[in-house]
């Protein structure tokens, strides 16, 4: 009853004040009619309070986000299901789902009545132009009487998480490859790609599984032959993002940092879907260990990490480059492909980055520079000191103003791969801008 009295609305408090005033005036003036009116006005909110406080119905709530992970600027659908699991019908319900302001503000609904064991379906949409991880919920239900005198607030504990990822730019298929690792008798050659006649069999050895017997070769050779064990090869690579605040300019969705995050997400998704095993490294060190992109697992993990990445206050690339240069377990000697996304680099930082490349590793540097001047040819200027130093060390360098320029820049990096092959591994001169 105390909670119900505390839940009196402005209208209810006004009725209480008016009723009490009328009663006092009735005694002072000796007016019985005024006394009756005052008692009636005072009794109405008290009776509403008693009725609301004695409600015994129970409510259940379920929420579904579709999808629970989406890119910036896209909409998600939120489905709410309110169910009355008691034997009494509910009264007037004011339903409000707690939604961050970034997603569009609160979602409010009015339900007149829910019959016993009945349910109501509610739907609304949310979207965000800022990446991040947002909490949707919990649901708040306000119980009100028909006269609007009393309002009780009850809250559910259920809440869901919506992940807003960076914008993904589709990239053209390319030939950028990394180191190959694996184990077994031979390179994987499946019947679906090579055909049954192209299977490379060997002689039967004691302990071989009879299910691997290749009967066509057995009949041809006159001795028992088995298929070789297929070797599962995995191209490996590393994805690097420079998150230093001093390396980026601007604020908001159009800032160079946000464009760099979008570029990193696009490259990571592209390489992951191509079947490449990747790890994710920032200037602070390794953020995600090496993972085979199986059924989109790494893609989802990478997008979740990039959804919440923020500019760092660090001023050095030492820790990140050390993690990028370091070897991994499982017998791997290093990354066959390194794709690094940077903001502004000075000459000293460019020399440090250039030293990361070892052996025949393919290294691609994507410089996000929103102040890049363009020549009459329409291609970005390639004469900046950082770009020249990286190219001299064998890196392939492309410069973009925003993530929307990435598709064309990625095609240039692929063209650089073909030029490198024709030149017999010699360093590129110009191009690849």
């Amino acid at each position: 009853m105390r909670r119900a009295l505390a839940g009196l609305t402005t209208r209810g408090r006004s009725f209480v004040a008016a009723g009490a005033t009328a009663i006092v005036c009735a005694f002072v003036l000796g007016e019985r009619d005024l006394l009756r009116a005052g008692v009636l006005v005072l009794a109405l909110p008290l009776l509403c309070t008693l009725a609301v406080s004695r409600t015994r119905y129970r409510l259940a709530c379920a929420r579904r986000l579709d999808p629970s992970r989406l890119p910036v600027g896209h909409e998600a659908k939120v489905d709410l299901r309110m169910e009355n699991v008691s034997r009494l019908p509910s009264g007037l319900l004011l339903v409000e789902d707690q939604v961050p302001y970034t997603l569009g503000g609160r979602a409010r609904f009015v339900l007149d009545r829910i019959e016993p064991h009945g349910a109501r379906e509610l739907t609304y949409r949310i979207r965000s132009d800022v990446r991040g991880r947002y909490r949707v919920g919990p649901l708040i239900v306000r119980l009100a009487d028909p006269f609007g005198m009393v309002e009780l607030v009850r809250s559910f504990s259920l809440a869901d998480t919506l992940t807003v990822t960076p914008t993904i730019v589709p990239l053209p298929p390319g030939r950028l490859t990394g180191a190959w690792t694996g184990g077994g008798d031979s390179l994987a050659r499946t019947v679906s790609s090579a055909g049954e006649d192209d299977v490379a069999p060997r002689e039967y050895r004691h302990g071989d599984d009879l299910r691997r017997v290749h009967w066509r070769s057995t009949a041809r050779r006159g001795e028992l032959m088995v298929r070789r064990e297929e070797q599962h090869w995995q191209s490996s690579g590393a994805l690097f993002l420079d998150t230093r605040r001093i390396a980026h300019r601007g604020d908001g969705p159009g800032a160079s940092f946000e464009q760099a995050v979008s570029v990193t997400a696009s490259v990571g998704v592209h390489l992951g879907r191509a079947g490449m095993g990747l790890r994710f490294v920032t200037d602070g060190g390794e953020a995600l260990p090496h993972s085979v992109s199986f059924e989109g697992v790494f893609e989802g993990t990478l997008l979740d990490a990039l959804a919440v990445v923020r500019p760092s206050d660090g001023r050095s690339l030492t820790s990140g480059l050390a993690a990028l240069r370091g070897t991994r377990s499982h017998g791997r000697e290093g990354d066959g492909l390194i794709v690094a996304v940077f903001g502004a680099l000075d000459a000293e930082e460019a020399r440090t980055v250039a030293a990361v490349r070892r052996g025949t590793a393919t290294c691609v540097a994507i410089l996000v520079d929103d102040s890049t001047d363009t020549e009459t040819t329409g291609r970005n200027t390639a004469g900046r000191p950082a770009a020249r130093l990286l190219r001299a060390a064998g890196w392939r360098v492309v410069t973009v103003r925003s993530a929307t320029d990435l598709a064309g820049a990625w095609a240039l990096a692929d063209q650089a791969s073909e030029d490198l092959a024709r030149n017999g591994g010699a360093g590129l001169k110009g191009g690849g801008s």
Side-chain angles (χ1 to χ4, degrees):
M1 190 64 180
R2 290 180 179 177
R3 290 182 56 192
L5 289 174
L8 283 172
T9 62
T10 302
R11 179 183 299 177
R13 296 177 186 275
S14 300
F15 268 67
V16 170
T21 303
I23 292 174
V24 172
C25 292
F27 281 109
V28 172
L29 302 175
E31 293 288 340
R32 291 189 176 183
D33 294 337
L34 184 59
L35 178 62
R36 295 189 187 97
V39 171
L40 177 61
V41 172
L42 179 61
L44 182 58
L46 296 180
L47 291 175
C48 292
T49 300
L50 180 63
V52 172
S53 64
R54 293 180 62 84
T55 55
R56 292 293 183 268
Y57 50 85
R58 295 174 297 165
L59 300 175
C61 170
R63 182 189 299 102
R64 183 171 66 91
L65 298 180
D66 183 26
S68 59
R69 182 195 295 121
L70 75 164
V72 166
H74 288 64
E75 285 189 347
K77 180 182 178 183
V78 183
D79 294 320
L80 288 172
R81 178 180 173 85
M82 289 286 301
E83 185 176 358
N84 183 10
V85 296
S86 64
R87 297 181 179 180
L88 298 175
S90 70
L92 182 66
L93 300 179
L94 305 178
V95 181
E96 180 180 334
D97 208 12
Q98 300 294 298
V99 179
Y101 177 77
T102 309
L103 299 181
R106 298 176 179 177
R108 298 178 178 178
F109 305 91
V110 178
L111 301 179
D112 292 335
R113 180 180 180 273
I114 303 180
E115 63 276 4
H117 302 290
R120 295 290 185 272
E121 303 285 346
L122 306 173
T123 301
Y124 66 95
R125 294 184 176 275
I126 53 179
R127 61 167 289 167
S128 175
D129 294 326
V130 180
R131 61 181 176 83
R133 185 174 293 126
Y134 303 96
R135 185 184 186 190
V136 180
L139 186 71
I140 294 178
V141 178
R142 290 179 169 85
L143 311 177
D145 66 287
F147 301 101
M149 301 287 183
V150 184
E151 184 178 278
L152 292 184
V153 178
R154 296 179 182 177
S155 177
F156 292 89
S157 59
L158 177 67
D160 294 276
T161 300
L162 177 70
T163 303
V164 181
T165 65
T167 303
I168 305 298
V169 178
L171 301 181
R175 300 178 180 83
L176 294 176
T177 57
W180 295 91
T181 57
D185 291 340
S186 65
L187 181 66
R189 298 176 4 159
T190 61
V191 174
S192 61
S193 61
E196 180 71 19
D197 293 335
D198 293 331
V199 174
R202 60 167 173 80
E203 297 82 2
Y204 175 82
R205 300 171 186 169
H206 179 70
D208 285 338
D209 191 348
L210 292 178
R211 290 176 295 183
R212 293 171 48 207
V213 172
H214 190 246
W215 297 108
R216 183 174 296 182
S217 298
T218 299
R220 186 184 303 117
R221 299 285 295 274
E223 58 180 322
L224 203 58
M225 305 290 291
V226 296
R227 293 183 178 89
R228 293 178 183 270
E229 291 183 359
E230 291 185 349
Q231 180 175 3
H232 298 281
W233 298 76
Q234 177 67 38
S235 185
S236 62
L239 192 60
F240 182 87
L241 173 62
D242 183 5
T243 65
R244 297 174 303 155
R245 193 184 305 274
I246 61 173
H248 299 278
R249 288 191 293 268
D251 296 310
S256 64
F257 178 77
E258 294 298 327
Q259 299 302 318
V261 172
S262 181
V263 167
T264 305
S266 302
V267 173
V269 170
H270 175 77
L271 296 179
R273 290 178 180 176
M276 179 173 289
L278 294 172
R279 60 185 182 127
F280 177 51
V281 183
T282 68
D283 54 286
E286 190 172 70
L288 294 177
H290 178 269
S291 174
V292 177
S293 183
F294 177 70
E295 294 183 355
V297 174
F298 177 80
E299 176 181 329
T301 305
L302 175 65
L303 292 178
D304 287 344
L306 291 176
V308 296
V309 67
R310 294 291 180 263
S312 68
D313 294 327
R315 307 185 67 87
S316 173
L317 292 170
T318 303
S319 299
L321 296 181
L324 194 63
R325 190 184 298 111
T327 59
R328 299 193 303 273
S329 57
H330 306 295
R332 302 179 187 269
E333 297 180 356
D335 298 300
L337 173 64
I338 296 177
V339 179
V341 183
F342 298 99
L345 288 178
D346 57 31
E348 185 63 30
E349 292 170 343
R351 293 188 185 94
T352 305
V353 173
V356 172
R357 185 175 183 270
R358 291 288 187 273
T360 59
T362 301
C363 298
V364 180
I366 302 177
L367 305 181
V368 180
D369 187 357
D370 56 3
S371 64
T372 301
D373 298 325
T374 55
E375 298 174 344
T376 57
T377 59
R379 301 179 67 183
N380 291 338
T381 302
R384 297 186 178 275
R388 291 199 305 267
L389 290 170
L390 290 174
R391 287 194 185 92
W395 283 69
R396 305 171 194 171
V397 182
V398 294
T399 306
V400 296
R401 288 186 175 183
S402 64
T404 56
D405 301 331
L406 181 60
W410 191 255
L412 290 176
D414 186 26
Q415 183 64 38
S417 175
E418 296 178 356
D419 294 341
L420 185 63
R422 287 195 295 266
N423 294 335
L428 295 176
K429 296 182 180 180
S433 53

